[in-house]
Every structure is written in C-alpha cells, then in structure tokens.
Amino acid sequence: MAAYILRRLLFVIPTLLGIMIINFALVQFVPGGPIEQIIAQLEGDGDVLAGITGDTGAFEIESSGENEYVGARGLPPEYLAELEAEFGFDKPPLEQFVNMIWKYLRFDFGESYFRSISVVDLVIEKLPVSITLGLWSTLIAYLVSIPLGIAKAVRNGAPFDTWTSALIIIGYSIPNFLFAVLLLVMFAGGSYWQIFPLRGLTSDNWDQLSMIGKALDYLWHITLPVLSTTISAFATLTLLTKNSFLDEIKKHYVMTARAKGLSERKVLYGHVFRNAMLIVIAGFPSVFIGVFFGGSVIIETIFSLDGLGRMGFEAAVARDYPVIFGTLFVFGLMSLVVGILSDLVYVFVDPRIDFESREG
C-alpha cells in the first residue's frame, strides 16, 4: 500500500502542472487583462487609482487653477510600462509561468491586484462560509440519503419506493438557485413568512449573545443556504445507496445467512450494510470537496454570503490573476490529495481491497 500511495503522490505533480499550464495558456488568449481593467476603471472613476496606488498626484494637472483628471485622455505610456513591470507582464509568458510555479511550490501566492491583501489571507477570510455550506450540506445529505436508500432497497417496487423516487427526481431536477429563490420567497419575508433571515451568517448583535444564543443564531442563518445547496445531492446518494444494497442482497452470502435463521434486521445491518456502504462511505471526501468548491457561487450571491465561490467569480471578472491561479493551485492540490484519501478510506472500510495487486 505504501508503494501505491507513493506512486499516487508522484502522479500529483504532473497532473497539477498540467492543470496550471492549461489554465495559464487559456488566460493568454482572454481579452481584458488586469492592465485593461485598471484603464477601464480609471476612465470611469478617478478614485479607483487611489485605491490601487495610494497616490493620484501623477495624474492631475493644473488647468485654470483647478485639478483636472487626465485619465479620460489616456494614461501616460511610462506609467503603463510601470504597471506591466509591477504585475510581471513585461516578461515573456514562459518566464511568467516558471516564476509563478516556483513561488507556488514555496506556497507564496502573492497579493491580490485590487484588494491589497495576500491571497492566503483572502482565502482564510472566506473559508468559514464555504466550510459551513460544504460540511453541513454533505452531512445532511448522508444522514438523510443513507437511511432513505436502505428503506427504498428493502421496499423495492413497493408504493413507498415509487413515490419517494418521484420526489427525489423532482428535487434533483430543480436547480439549486431556483430552490433558493423559492425558499426566500416562502420563508424569508418575500411574500409569505418571515421565519429565517435574508442574508449573512450571523446577526448584528452576535457579540452580545450567549454561547447557546450564538449557536442558535448560526443555525438560524445557515438553514436556507444549506437546504438550497443540499437539494440536488439527495438523488445521487439515495439511489447509490439503494442500488448498492440491492446488489448485495442478491448475493449468495445473504441467502446463506437467511437460511441459517438469522433475522432480517441482523442480515441487513450485520452482513449487508458494511459491504453495501463501501462505495458510499468511501466517497465522502470527494463529495465534500465537490460541494465545498463547486456550485456555491449563485447560492452565496443570493444569500449575500462572502465565500470562496463568490470570491473566485469576482476574481475572474476583475482578472485578478494571483487570486485565480493561487486558489486554482491550492484547490487542485487538495482535490488530488482527497482522491488519495478516498482510496485509503476504501481500504479502511474493507481491508480486503488491495490497490497494488489490482495495478499489477
């Protein structure tokens, strides 16, 4: 097993490098880089320059005794050259990429072009929201889907199986952002009941609340966003659990256990459960990563949550390359490592699995 893990870890390097090369190459062909973004902002709002450089004196001239902004008439070429040098765009693309990867290998992700904050600090600032959505959504999906999938397998073909399948398909077909809007309209004061808050993770008086009050306030705020994120996960996990149980129930060891006079409950949970849950439990890390990193942009926007999804979208729109590539590197590395962890969980759940022999 150690040799298999070592091979997988070594495979992470070319895979991650390939991801970065493809995305870096794509960025070279996308119009409107950071320099163009700054020029566009300056032509429409002189205050943006102060937020970027902290000094607007170089862009003001004396005219009739008053300061006049010259950005609308074009920025000085020498300043554009300084911007390119500051961002590293004065170097060839290959040199830019090599320098970026060398820094990332040392976990030096630089600073955001437009926020004057390091990428690491920015990610840490947004993590609580994404962890909340990812962890709670995954846990709720498993806690509901596994018992429901088992019940559907035991009652396969019965009315219970039919109408629950219909509900699951309906829930899966509803986009999570549309479900989020429906929840807001129904339960957040849209048109019916004002039961849950409209935005944020905490109330304004959070600091004045007791520990229990803070916990209840936190749960009160995350209810609607978590439900919106979880709705589409029920179908896959429930049907996966059901099919896993059905496959195991038809095997000979189950018939042998029943022939020995074991109760149906003991057969189901003493023999079938461990084997049937192998693929479901082992997939937990990858499911969590999927919920954690994907599909949260719209949900975070709808509920005014400032998380990683929204941060990534804003960075892509603003062409904030340090944030884009820094988070891409970290998240890509985490996804590849989670793939290895999933294999380890497989072995932990069922020691009979030997990946080295399968590779051979």
Side-chain angles (χ1 to χ4, degrees):
M1 190 63 185
Y4 170 78
I5 295 175
L6 180 60
R7 285 195 297 270
R8 287 292 303 272
L9 289 174
L10 293 176
F11 186 69
V12 166
I13 299 175
T15 304
L16 188 58
L17 186 62
I19 294 173
M20 299 301 295
I21 290 175
I22 293 174
N23 285 274
F24 186 85
L26 290 175
V27 163
Q28 305 307 309
F29 299 100
V30 176
I35 303 296
E36 289 77 8
Q37 294 289 324
I38 292 176
I39 294 174
Q41 290 176 337
L42 291 177
E43 289 178 347
D45 185 359
D47 292 336
V48 177
L49 185 60
I52 298 172
T53 66
D55 181 13
T56 60
F59 301 94
E60 296 176 350
I61 62 175
E62 293 297 328
S63 175
S64 303
E66 296 180 357
N67 289 337
E68 180 180 347
Y69 176 64
V70 300
R73 293 185 292 151
L75 294 175
E78 59 272 14
Y79 181 73
L80 295 179
E82 290 179 8
L83 278 179
E84 291 181 353
E86 181 181 349
F87 291 158
F89 298 149
D90 58 332
K91 300 180 178 64
L94 179 59
E95 185 177 351
Q96 293 179 37
F97 179 78
V98 172
N99 291 337
M100 180 183 70
I101 293 299
W102 174 241
K103 290 180 179 179
Y104 286 3
L105 290 176
R106 293 175 291 158
F107 292 95
D108 177 12
F109 303 107
E111 286 191 355
S112 168
Y113 285 158
F114 306 106
R115 304 192 187 189
S116 298
I117 182 175
S118 70
V119 175
V120 173
D121 291 338
L122 189 60
V123 170
I124 293 175
E125 178 185 322
K126 312 298 181 183
L127 267 179
V129 173
S130 297
I131 290 178
T132 292
L133 293 178
L135 185 60
W136 282 108
S137 298
T138 305
L139 288 176
I140 292 175
Y142 268 83
L143 290 175
V144 174
S145 297
I146 290 178
L148 182 58
I150 295 174
K152 287 174 64 63
V154 173
R155 300 171 178 83
N156 185 39
F160 173 82
D161 181 37
T162 302
W163 66 261
T164 52
S165 295
L167 291 177
I168 289 172
I169 293 173
I170 293 173
Y172 185 73
S173 63
I174 299 176
N176 56 3
F177 71 89
L178 185 60
F179 187 65
V181 173
L182 177 62
L183 291 177
L184 286 177
V185 172
M186 294 292 295
F187 303 108
S191 299
Y192 296 91
W193 301 283
Q194 179 68 54
I195 300 176
F196 296 99
L198 187 61
R199 63 185 64 204
L201 282 180
T202 57
S203 300
D204 295 334
N205 62 337
W206 167 265
D207 294 332
Q208 285 73 44
L209 297 175
S210 63
M211 290 298 297
I212 296 178
K214 288 182 178 180
L216 293 177
D217 183 75
Y218 169 76
L219 294 174
W220 183 47
H221 279 78
I222 69 171
T223 298
L224 297 187
V226 168
L227 287 178
S228 303
T229 308
T230 310
I231 185 67
S232 60
F234 286 126
T236 303
L237 284 174
T238 301
L239 295 179
L240 179 62
T241 303
K242 175 189 173 182
N243 292 332
S244 297
F245 264 79
L246 287 177
D247 289 341
E248 292 296 323
I249 288 173
K250 297 175 183 178
K251 292 183 178 180
H252 292 295
Y253 76 89
V254 176
M255 292 185 286
T256 302
R258 287 172 175 168
K260 290 181 178 180
L262 297 178
S263 66
E264 190 67 20
R265 183 178 181 84
K266 191 168 185 178
V267 171
L268 188 62
Y269 292 100
H271 294 75
V272 176
F273 184 83
R274 178 175 180 177
N275 294 326
M277 284 294 97
L278 173 62
I279 189 172
V280 179
I281 296 175
F284 181 88
S286 58
V287 172
F288 172 69
I289 288 294
V291 177
F292 185 68
F293 293 136
S296 61
V297 178
I298 300 178
I299 298 299
E300 290 176 6
T301 302
I302 291 175
F303 290 98
S304 299
L305 301 174
D306 197 10
L308 293 175
R310 190 174 177 182
M311 180 197 72
F313 174 74
E314 292 174 351
V317 172
R319 306 296 193 271
D320 198 344
Y321 292 158
V323 177
I324 294 174
F325 289 117
T327 53
L328 179 66
F329 181 87
V330 173
F331 296 162
L333 179 62
M334 289 180 62
S335 299
L336 293 171
V337 172
V338 164
I340 300 175
L341 292 178
S342 295
D343 291 344
L344 295 178
V345 174
Y346 272 108
V347 176
F348 176 77
V349 174
D350 190 349
R352 296 173 298 175
I353 294 179
D354 187 356
F355 288 105
E356 292 186 10
S357 63
R358 290 190 177 190
E359 286 190 346

